[in-house]
Amino acid sequence: MYRTWTKASAILFVVVSLLFNGTYALAASATSTYVVTFQQATPLSNDHVGNDWAIAAQVAGKSISEDNSVKVKVKSGGSIKLYAYAEEQDKVPDEGEASKNVKVSTISAKGSTIKLKVTVTENRGRYSGNQAVWEFTYKIKKQ
């Protein structure tokens, strides 16, 4: 005996077949590419912490230098991790770090500028407890 398929039952059959075969095409989240540029690290203040500095930045775990970009593929609903590090270099280095997970849903169509502040506290000597503050600027744009 042959069965007559209605349009709705045919669609339901296809969807169920796809799901049980391990193909989740209808439910899969889209992946987009974002270009993240580490624009600069700027010292905002320095209250006798030191003059010899090293900085480092990362985007999604990848090291990046100033004025350079990295492409990151992110699923919709995902986020991009930004990381910033500053170190005053002397016999006993003073260091600070900051990180932020930026949800891609918050990135505007024109792109977004994200700033991380890194505070470094002097750990020895007569200026112990004084701080220096750095600002790391990143630009994120959907490709």
Side-chain angles (χ1 to χ4, degrees), residues 33-69:
T33 301
Y34 293 83
V35 177
V36 184
T37 303
F38 170 38
Q39 294 180 317
Q40 62 185 2
T42 306
L44 298 180
S45 65
N46 185 350
D47 186 17
H48 297 92
V49 176
N51 296 317
D52 193 14
W53 292 91
I55 60 162
Q58 292 181 352
V59 174
K62 299 175 187 175
S63 292
I64 186 170
S65 56
E66 285 183 294
D67 294 321
N68 284 297
S69 300

PDB file of all heavy atoms in Angstrom, residues 33-69:
ATOM      1  N   THR A  33      34.299  35.561  10.004  1.00  0.00           N
ATOM      2  CA  THR A  33      35.693  35.954  10.184  1.00  0.00           C
ATOM      3  C   THR A  33      35.750  37.405  10.640  1.00  0.00           C
ATOM      4  O   THR A  33      35.072  38.266  10.080  1.00  0.00           O
ATOM      5  CB  THR A  33      36.483  35.786   8.874  1.00  0.00           C
ATOM      6  OG1 THR A  33      36.408  34.406   8.468  1.00  0.00           O
ATOM      7  CG2 THR A  33      37.938  36.182   9.042  1.00  0.00           C
ATOM      8  N   TYR A  34      36.560  37.641  11.651  1.00  0.00           N
ATOM      9  CA  TYR A  34      36.761  38.985  12.189  1.00  0.00           C
ATOM     10  C   TYR A  34      38.233  39.341  12.061  1.00  0.00           C
ATOM     11  O   TYR A  34      39.103  38.489  12.252  1.00  0.00           O
ATOM     12  CB  TYR A  34      36.335  39.061  13.654  1.00  0.00           C
ATOM     13  CG  TYR A  34      34.846  38.881  13.823  1.00  0.00           C
ATOM     14  CD1 TYR A  34      34.275  37.619  13.859  1.00  0.00           C
ATOM     15  CD2 TYR A  34      34.006  39.980  13.914  1.00  0.00           C
ATOM     16  CE1 TYR A  34      32.909  37.449  13.989  1.00  0.00           C
ATOM     17  CE2 TYR A  34      32.633  39.826  14.038  1.00  0.00           C
ATOM     18  CZ  TYR A  34      32.099  38.559  14.082  1.00  0.00           C
ATOM     19  OH  TYR A  34      30.744  38.395  14.196  1.00  0.00           O
ATOM     20  N   VAL A  35      38.496  40.602  11.734  1.00  0.00           N
ATOM     21  CA  VAL A  35      39.861  41.101  11.675  1.00  0.00           C
ATOM     22  C   VAL A  35      40.077  41.929  12.935  1.00  0.00           C
ATOM     23  O   VAL A  35      39.345  42.895  13.190  1.00  0.00           O
ATOM     24  CB  VAL A  35      40.103  41.961  10.415  1.00  0.00           C
ATOM     25  CG1 VAL A  35      41.507  42.532  10.425  1.00  0.00           C
ATOM     26  CG2 VAL A  35      39.860  41.140   9.158  1.00  0.00           C
ATOM     27  N   VAL A  36      41.062  41.521  13.729  1.00  0.00           N
ATOM     28  CA  VAL A  36      41.366  42.225  14.966  1.00  0.00           C
ATOM     29  C   VAL A  36      42.734  42.880  14.810  1.00  0.00           C
ATOM     30  O   VAL A  36      43.723  42.212  14.506  1.00  0.00           O
ATOM     31  CB  VAL A  36      41.372  41.276  16.175  1.00  0.00           C
ATOM     32  CG1 VAL A  36      41.600  42.057  17.472  1.00  0.00           C
ATOM     33  CG2 VAL A  36      40.083  40.480  16.238  1.00  0.00           C
ATOM     34  N   THR A  37      42.778  44.189  15.013  1.00  0.00           N
ATOM     35  CA  THR A  37      44.024  44.950  14.907  1.00  0.00           C
ATOM     36  C   THR A  37      44.404  45.448  16.292  1.00  0.00           C
ATOM     37  O   THR A  37      43.581  46.054  16.988  1.00  0.00           O
ATOM     38  CB  THR A  37      43.849  46.160  13.965  1.00  0.00           C
ATOM     39  OG1 THR A  37      43.409  45.677  12.690  1.00  0.00           O
ATOM     40  CG2 THR A  37      45.145  46.924  13.799  1.00  0.00           C
ATOM     41  N   PHE A  38      45.636  45.169  16.684  1.00  0.00           N
ATOM     42  CA  PHE A  38      46.171  45.742  17.918  1.00  0.00           C
ATOM     43  C   PHE A  38      46.773  47.077  17.511  1.00  0.00           C
ATOM     44  O   PHE A  38      47.827  47.136  16.909  1.00  0.00           O
ATOM     45  CB  PHE A  38      47.214  44.818  18.539  1.00  0.00           C
ATOM     46  CG  PHE A  38      47.985  45.423  19.682  1.00  0.00           C
ATOM     47  CD1 PHE A  38      47.383  46.258  20.608  1.00  0.00           C
ATOM     48  CD2 PHE A  38      49.324  45.136  19.837  1.00  0.00           C
ATOM     49  CE1 PHE A  38      48.099  46.803  21.657  1.00  0.00           C
ATOM     50  CE2 PHE A  38      50.057  45.673  20.883  1.00  0.00           C
ATOM     51  CZ  PHE A  38      49.451  46.513  21.793  1.00  0.00           C
ATOM     52  N   GLN A  39      46.063  48.154  17.788  1.00  0.00           N
ATOM     53  CA  GLN A  39      46.471  49.466  17.315  1.00  0.00           C
ATOM     54  C   GLN A  39      47.668  50.022  18.077  1.00  0.00           C
ATOM     55  O   GLN A  39      48.628  50.477  17.466  1.00  0.00           O
ATOM     56  CB  GLN A  39      45.295  50.437  17.366  1.00  0.00           C
ATOM     57  CG  GLN A  39      44.202  50.047  16.390  1.00  0.00           C
ATOM     58  CD  GLN A  39      43.022  50.989  16.416  1.00  0.00           C
ATOM     59  OE1 GLN A  39      42.561  51.413  17.472  1.00  0.00           O
ATOM     60  NE2 GLN A  39      42.521  51.322  15.242  1.00  0.00           N
ATOM     61  N   GLN A  40      47.583  50.019  19.413  1.00  0.00           N
ATOM     62  CA  GLN A  40      48.700  50.574  20.168  1.00  0.00           C
ATOM     63  C   GLN A  40      48.561  50.290  21.657  1.00  0.00           C
ATOM     64  O   GLN A  40      47.485  49.970  22.143  1.00  0.00           O
ATOM     65  CB  GLN A  40      48.783  52.084  19.978  1.00  0.00           C
ATOM     66  CG  GLN A  40      47.572  52.831  20.485  1.00  0.00           C
ATOM     67  CD  GLN A  40      47.638  54.315  20.176  1.00  0.00           C
ATOM     68  OE1 GLN A  40      48.570  54.800  19.548  1.00  0.00           O
ATOM     69  NE2 GLN A  40      46.650  55.058  20.634  1.00  0.00           N
ATOM     70  N   ALA A  41      49.685  50.439  22.350  1.00  0.00           N
ATOM     71  CA  ALA A  41      49.718  50.427  23.809  1.00  0.00           C
ATOM     72  C   ALA A  41      50.259  51.789  24.224  1.00  0.00           C
ATOM     73  O   ALA A  41      51.328  52.202  23.779  1.00  0.00           O
ATOM     74  CB  ALA A  41      50.608  49.312  24.325  1.00  0.00           C
ATOM     75  N   THR A  42      49.491  52.500  25.036  1.00  0.00           N
ATOM     76  CA  THR A  42      49.829  53.866  25.411  1.00  0.00           C
ATOM     77  C   THR A  42      49.966  53.969  26.927  1.00  0.00           C
ATOM     78  O   THR A  42      49.053  53.559  27.654  1.00  0.00           O
ATOM     79  CB  THR A  42      48.713  54.827  24.955  1.00  0.00           C
ATOM     80  OG1 THR A  42      48.472  54.641  23.572  1.00  0.00           O
ATOM     81  CG2 THR A  42      49.081  56.270  25.222  1.00  0.00           C
ATOM     82  N   PRO A  43      51.101  54.525  27.403  1.00  0.00           N
ATOM     83  CA  PRO A  43      51.197  54.761  28.847  1.00  0.00           C
ATOM     84  C   PRO A  43      50.327  55.955  29.240  1.00  0.00           C
ATOM     85  O   PRO A  43      50.470  57.046  28.679  1.00  0.00           O
ATOM     86  CB  PRO A  43      52.685  55.048  29.070  1.00  0.00           C
ATOM     87  CG  PRO A  43      53.197  55.501  27.739  1.00  0.00           C
ATOM     88  CD  PRO A  43      52.321  54.875  26.698  1.00  0.00           C
ATOM     89  N   LEU A  44      49.391  55.752  30.155  1.00  0.00           N
ATOM     90  CA  LEU A  44      48.500  56.831  30.597  1.00  0.00           C
ATOM     91  C   LEU A  44      49.078  57.577  31.794  1.00  0.00           C
ATOM     92  O   LEU A  44      48.900  58.784  31.924  1.00  0.00           O
ATOM     93  CB  LEU A  44      47.119  56.286  30.952  1.00  0.00           C
ATOM     94  CG  LEU A  44      46.336  55.611  29.828  1.00  0.00           C
ATOM     95  CD1 LEU A  44      44.994  55.118  30.347  1.00  0.00           C
ATOM     96  CD2 LEU A  44      46.144  56.557  28.658  1.00  0.00           C
ATOM     97  N   SER A  45      49.730  56.829  32.676  1.00  0.00           N
ATOM     98  CA  SER A  45      50.343  57.450  33.849  1.00  0.00           C
ATOM     99  C   SER A  45      51.491  56.572  34.326  1.00  0.00           C
ATOM    100  O   SER A  45      51.530  55.372  34.056  1.00  0.00           O
ATOM    101  CB  SER A  45      49.313  57.633  34.965  1.00  0.00           C
ATOM    102  OG  SER A  45      48.861  56.381  35.430  1.00  0.00           O
ATOM    103  N   ASN A  46      52.431  57.206  35.037  1.00  0.00           N
ATOM    104  CA  ASN A  46      53.569  56.471  35.568  1.00  0.00           C
ATOM    105  C   ASN A  46      54.099  57.234  36.779  1.00  0.00           C
ATOM    106  O   ASN A  46      54.780  58.240  36.633  1.00  0.00           O
ATOM    107  CB  ASN A  46      54.661  56.313  34.506  1.00  0.00           C
ATOM    108  CG  ASN A  46      55.812  55.446  34.986  1.00  0.00           C
ATOM    109  OD1 ASN A  46      55.904  55.105  36.157  1.00  0.00           O
ATOM    110  ND2 ASN A  46      56.689  55.096  34.071  1.00  0.00           N
ATOM    111  N   ASP A  47      53.756  56.744  37.971  1.00  0.00           N
ATOM    112  CA  ASP A  47      54.168  57.391  39.215  1.00  0.00           C
ATOM    113  C   ASP A  47      55.424  56.705  39.767  1.00  0.00           C
ATOM    114  O   ASP A  47      55.366  55.935  40.722  1.00  0.00           O
ATOM    115  CB  ASP A  47      53.016  57.331  40.222  1.00  0.00           C
ATOM    116  CG  ASP A  47      53.306  58.119  41.489  1.00  0.00           C
ATOM    117  OD1 ASP A  47      54.226  58.959  41.489  1.00  0.00           O
ATOM    118  OD2 ASP A  47      52.596  57.874  42.490  1.00  0.00           O
ATOM    119  N   HIS A  48      56.558  56.978  39.111  1.00  0.00           N
ATOM    120  CA  HIS A  48      57.869  56.467  39.534  1.00  0.00           C
ATOM    121  C   HIS A  48      57.953  54.942  39.548  1.00  0.00           C
ATOM    122  O   HIS A  48      58.595  54.365  40.425  1.00  0.00           O
ATOM    123  CB  HIS A  48      58.252  57.016  40.910  1.00  0.00           C
ATOM    124  CG  HIS A  48      58.405  58.491  40.940  1.00  0.00           C
ATOM    125  ND1 HIS A  48      57.359  59.324  41.271  1.00  0.00           N
ATOM    126  CD2 HIS A  48      59.463  59.295  40.658  1.00  0.00           C
ATOM    127  CE1 HIS A  48      57.774  60.572  41.217  1.00  0.00           C
ATOM    128  NE2 HIS A  48      59.042  60.592  40.828  1.00  0.00           N
ATOM    129  N   VAL A  49      57.311  54.285  38.584  1.00  0.00           N
ATOM    130  CA  VAL A  49      57.399  52.829  38.513  1.00  0.00           C
ATOM    131  C   VAL A  49      58.641  52.414  37.729  1.00  0.00           C
ATOM    132  O   VAL A  49      59.308  51.457  38.084  1.00  0.00           O
ATOM    133  CB  VAL A  49      56.120  52.212  37.904  1.00  0.00           C
ATOM    134  CG1 VAL A  49      56.262  50.705  37.743  1.00  0.00           C
ATOM    135  CG2 VAL A  49      54.923  52.534  38.778  1.00  0.00           C
ATOM    136  N   GLY A  50      58.976  53.142  36.671  1.00  0.00           N
ATOM    137  CA  GLY A  50      60.174  52.816  35.898  1.00  0.00           C
ATOM    138  C   GLY A  50      60.076  53.360  34.494  1.00  0.00           C
ATOM    139  O   GLY A  50      59.054  53.912  34.088  1.00  0.00           O
ATOM    140  N   ASN A  51      61.174  53.193  33.756  1.00  0.00           N
ATOM    141  CA  ASN A  51      61.253  53.732  32.397  1.00  0.00           C
ATOM    142  C   ASN A  51      61.507  52.681  31.325  1.00  0.00           C
ATOM    143  O   ASN A  51      61.371  52.971  30.148  1.00  0.00           O
ATOM    144  CB  ASN A  51      62.359  54.792  32.321  1.00  0.00           C
ATOM    145  CG  ASN A  51      62.052  55.977  33.204  1.00  0.00           C
ATOM    146  OD1 ASN A  51      60.917  56.445  33.244  1.00  0.00           O
ATOM    147  ND2 ASN A  51      63.050  56.454  33.927  1.00  0.00           N
ATOM    148  N   ASP A  52      61.896  51.499  31.713  1.00  0.00           N
ATOM    149  CA  ASP A  52      62.218  50.450  30.742  1.00  0.00           C
ATOM    150  C   ASP A  52      61.068  49.441  30.713  1.00  0.00           C
ATOM    151  O   ASP A  52      60.876  48.695  31.680  1.00  0.00           O
ATOM    152  CB  ASP A  52      63.532  49.778  31.130  1.00  0.00           C
ATOM    153  CG  ASP A  52      64.091  48.900  30.034  1.00  0.00           C
ATOM    154  OD1 ASP A  52      63.621  49.005  28.875  1.00  0.00           O
ATOM    155  OD2 ASP A  52      64.993  48.095  30.325  1.00  0.00           O
ATOM    156  N   TRP A  53      60.296  49.433  29.601  1.00  0.00           N
ATOM    157  CA  TRP A  53      59.065  48.650  29.540  1.00  0.00           C
ATOM    158  C   TRP A  53      59.076  47.629  28.409  1.00  0.00           C
ATOM    159  O   TRP A  53      59.670  47.856  27.358  1.00  0.00           O
ATOM    160  CB  TRP A  53      57.867  49.581  29.329  1.00  0.00           C
ATOM    161  CG  TRP A  53      57.608  50.445  30.513  1.00  0.00           C
ATOM    162  CD1 TRP A  53      58.115  51.683  30.746  1.00  0.00           C
ATOM    163  CD2 TRP A  53      56.800  50.115  31.628  1.00  0.00           C
ATOM    164  NE1 TRP A  53      57.664  52.154  31.957  1.00  0.00           N
ATOM    165  CE2 TRP A  53      56.854  51.208  32.516  1.00  0.00           C
ATOM    166  CE3 TRP A  53      56.039  49.012  31.977  1.00  0.00           C
ATOM    167  CZ2 TRP A  53      56.172  51.227  33.727  1.00  0.00           C
ATOM    168  CZ3 TRP A  53      55.351  49.034  33.178  1.00  0.00           C
ATOM    169  CH2 TRP A  53      55.419  50.128  34.044  1.00  0.00           C
ATOM    170  N   ALA A  54      58.375  46.544  28.640  1.00  0.00           N
ATOM    171  CA  ALA A  54      58.075  45.553  27.600  1.00  0.00           C
ATOM    172  C   ALA A  54      56.567  45.358  27.613  1.00  0.00           C
ATOM    173  O   ALA A  54      55.943  45.339  28.677  1.00  0.00           O
ATOM    174  CB  ALA A  54      58.780  44.235  27.883  1.00  0.00           C
ATOM    175  N   ILE A  55      55.981  45.245  26.426  1.00  0.00           N
ATOM    176  CA  ILE A  55      54.538  45.006  26.330  1.00  0.00           C
ATOM    177  C   ILE A  55      54.298  43.780  25.462  1.00  0.00           C
ATOM    178  O   ILE A  55      55.141  43.414  24.631  1.00  0.00           O
ATOM    179  CB  ILE A  55      53.778  46.212  25.744  1.00  0.00           C
ATOM    180  CG1 ILE A  55      54.284  46.546  24.334  1.00  0.00           C
ATOM    181  CG2 ILE A  55      53.872  47.413  26.666  1.00  0.00           C
ATOM    182  CD1 ILE A  55      53.350  47.395  23.535  1.00  0.00           C
ATOM    183  N   ALA A  56      53.153  43.176  25.645  1.00  0.00           N
ATOM    184  CA  ALA A  56      52.752  42.037  24.818  1.00  0.00           C
ATOM    185  C   ALA A  56      51.231  42.056  24.693  1.00  0.00           C
ATOM    186  O   ALA A  56      50.526  42.475  25.608  1.00  0.00           O
ATOM    187  CB  ALA A  56      53.220  40.726  25.441  1.00  0.00           C
ATOM    188  N   ALA A  57      50.757  41.603  23.538  1.00  0.00           N
ATOM    189  CA  ALA A  57      49.313  41.520  23.299  1.00  0.00           C
ATOM    190  C   ALA A  57      49.000  40.211  22.593  1.00  0.00           C
ATOM    191  O   ALA A  57      49.831  39.688  21.836  1.00  0.00           O
ATOM    192  CB  ALA A  57      48.842  42.703  22.460  1.00  0.00           C
ATOM    193  N   GLN A  58      47.805  39.709  22.854  1.00  0.00           N
ATOM    194  CA  GLN A  58      47.332  38.496  22.193  1.00  0.00           C
ATOM    195  C   GLN A  58      45.875  38.671  21.793  1.00  0.00           C
ATOM    196  O   GLN A  58      45.116  39.364  22.474  1.00  0.00           O
ATOM    197  CB  GLN A  58      47.439  37.276  23.111  1.00  0.00           C
ATOM    198  CG  GLN A  58      48.839  36.847  23.425  1.00  0.00           C
ATOM    199  CD  GLN A  58      48.856  35.613  24.311  1.00  0.00           C
ATOM    200  OE1 GLN A  58      47.834  35.158  24.819  1.00  0.00           O
ATOM    201  NE2 GLN A  58      50.039  35.062  24.510  1.00  0.00           N
ATOM    202  N   VAL A  59      45.529  38.003  20.695  1.00  0.00           N
ATOM    203  CA  VAL A  59      44.149  37.927  20.225  1.00  0.00           C
ATOM    204  C   VAL A  59      43.853  36.453  20.024  1.00  0.00           C
ATOM    205  O   VAL A  59      44.538  35.788  19.248  1.00  0.00           O
ATOM    206  CB  VAL A  59      43.955  38.706  18.902  1.00  0.00           C
ATOM    207  CG1 VAL A  59      42.553  38.491  18.365  1.00  0.00           C
ATOM    208  CG2 VAL A  59      44.262  40.184  19.094  1.00  0.00           C
ATOM    209  N   ALA A  60      42.873  35.943  20.746  1.00  0.00           N
ATOM    210  CA  ALA A  60      42.494  34.530  20.659  1.00  0.00           C
ATOM    211  C   ALA A  60      43.708  33.620  20.825  1.00  0.00           C
ATOM    212  O   ALA A  60      43.860  32.624  20.128  1.00  0.00           O
ATOM    213  CB  ALA A  60      41.779  34.245  19.344  1.00  0.00           C
ATOM    214  N   GLY A  61      44.604  33.991  21.742  1.00  0.00           N
ATOM    215  CA  GLY A  61      45.777  33.175  22.029  1.00  0.00           C
ATOM    216  C   GLY A  61      46.946  33.361  21.077  1.00  0.00           C
ATOM    217  O   GLY A  61      47.989  32.745  21.252  1.00  0.00           O
ATOM    218  N   LYS A  62      46.796  34.223  20.074  1.00  0.00           N
ATOM    219  CA  LYS A  62      47.871  34.467  19.110  1.00  0.00           C
ATOM    220  C   LYS A  62      48.557  35.788  19.432  1.00  0.00           C
ATOM    221  O   LYS A  62      47.904  36.821  19.578  1.00  0.00           O
ATOM    222  CB  LYS A  62      47.309  34.540  17.687  1.00  0.00           C
ATOM    223  CG  LYS A  62      46.631  33.280  17.228  1.00  0.00           C
ATOM    224  CD  LYS A  62      45.998  33.484  15.856  1.00  0.00           C
ATOM    225  CE  LYS A  62      45.162  32.279  15.459  1.00  0.00           C
ATOM    226  NZ  LYS A  62      44.445  32.499  14.207  1.00  0.00           N
ATOM    227  N   SER A  63      49.889  35.766  19.525  1.00  0.00           N
ATOM    228  CA  SER A  63      50.632  36.996  19.787  1.00  0.00           C
ATOM    229  C   SER A  63      50.510  37.936  18.603  1.00  0.00           C
ATOM    230  O   SER A  63      50.491  37.504  17.452  1.00  0.00           O
ATOM    231  CB  SER A  63      52.106  36.678  20.041  1.00  0.00           C
ATOM    232  OG  SER A  63      52.243  35.975  21.245  1.00  0.00           O
ATOM    233  N   ILE A  64      50.455  39.234  18.915  1.00  0.00           N
ATOM    234  CA  ILE A  64      50.300  40.243  17.876  1.00  0.00           C
ATOM    235  C   ILE A  64      51.068  41.493  18.315  1.00  0.00           C
ATOM    236  O   ILE A  64      51.106  41.812  19.502  1.00  0.00           O
ATOM    237  CB  ILE A  64      48.803  40.548  17.618  1.00  0.00           C
ATOM    238  CG1 ILE A  64      48.624  41.491  16.440  1.00  0.00           C
ATOM    239  CG2 ILE A  64      48.122  41.056  18.862  1.00  0.00           C
ATOM    240  CD1 ILE A  64      47.173  41.638  15.988  1.00  0.00           C
ATOM    241  N   SER A  65      51.692  42.160  17.360  1.00  0.00           N
ATOM    242  CA  SER A  65      52.423  43.389  17.678  1.00  0.00           C
ATOM    243  C   SER A  65      51.619  44.607  17.231  1.00  0.00           C
ATOM    244  O   SER A  65      50.652  44.495  16.471  1.00  0.00           O
ATOM    245  CB  SER A  65      53.808  43.375  17.014  1.00  0.00           C
ATOM    246  OG  SER A  65      53.694  43.178  15.628  1.00  0.00           O
ATOM    247  N   GLU A  66      52.035  45.780  17.711  1.00  0.00           N
ATOM    248  CA  GLU A  66      51.320  47.016  17.401  1.00  0.00           C
ATOM    249  C   GLU A  66      51.192  47.230  15.900  1.00  0.00           C
ATOM    250  O   GLU A  66      52.089  46.897  15.130  1.00  0.00           O
ATOM    251  CB  GLU A  66      52.031  48.223  18.026  1.00  0.00           C
ATOM    252  CG  GLU A  66      51.810  48.327  19.526  1.00  0.00           C
ATOM    253  CD  GLU A  66      52.457  49.563  20.116  1.00  0.00           C
ATOM    254  OE1 GLU A  66      53.696  49.649  20.096  1.00  0.00           O
ATOM    255  OE2 GLU A  66      51.712  50.432  20.600  1.00  0.00           O
ATOM    256  N   ASP A  67      50.045  47.774  15.498  1.00  0.00           N
ATOM    257  CA  ASP A  67      49.721  48.082  14.102  1.00  0.00           C
ATOM    258  C   ASP A  67      49.635  46.853  13.207  1.00  0.00           C
ATOM    259  O   ASP A  67      49.755  46.957  11.997  1.00  0.00           O
ATOM    260  CB  ASP A  67      50.722  49.083  13.503  1.00  0.00           C
ATOM    261  CG  ASP A  67      50.630  50.446  14.156  1.00  0.00           C
ATOM    262  OD1 ASP A  67      49.493  50.881  14.452  1.00  0.00           O
ATOM    263  OD2 ASP A  67      51.681  51.072  14.374  1.00  0.00           O
ATOM    264  N   ASN A  68      49.417  45.690  13.799  1.00  0.00           N
ATOM    265  CA  ASN A  68      49.240  44.469  13.027  1.00  0.00           C
ATOM    266  C   ASN A  68      47.870  43.868  13.310  1.00  0.00           C
ATOM    267  O   ASN A  68      47.237  44.171  14.319  1.00  0.00           O
ATOM    268  CB  ASN A  68      50.343  43.457  13.345  1.00  0.00           C
ATOM    269  CG  ASN A  68      51.643  43.835  12.675  1.00  0.00           C
ATOM    270  OD1 ASN A  68      51.730  43.867  11.451  1.00  0.00           O
ATOM    271  ND2 ASN A  68      52.650  44.143  13.470  1.00  0.00           N
ATOM    272  N   SER A  69      47.436  43.003  12.382  1.00  0.00           N
ATOM    273  CA  SER A  69      46.107  42.400  12.472  1.00  0.00           C
ATOM    274  C   SER A  69      46.201  40.888  12.424  1.00  0.00           C
ATOM    275  O   SER A  69      47.162  40.324  11.911  1.00  0.00           O
ATOM    276  CB  SER A  69      45.229  42.873  11.307  1.00  0.00           C
ATOM    277  OG  SER A  69      45.086  44.264  11.324  1.00  0.00           O
TER     278      SER A  69
END
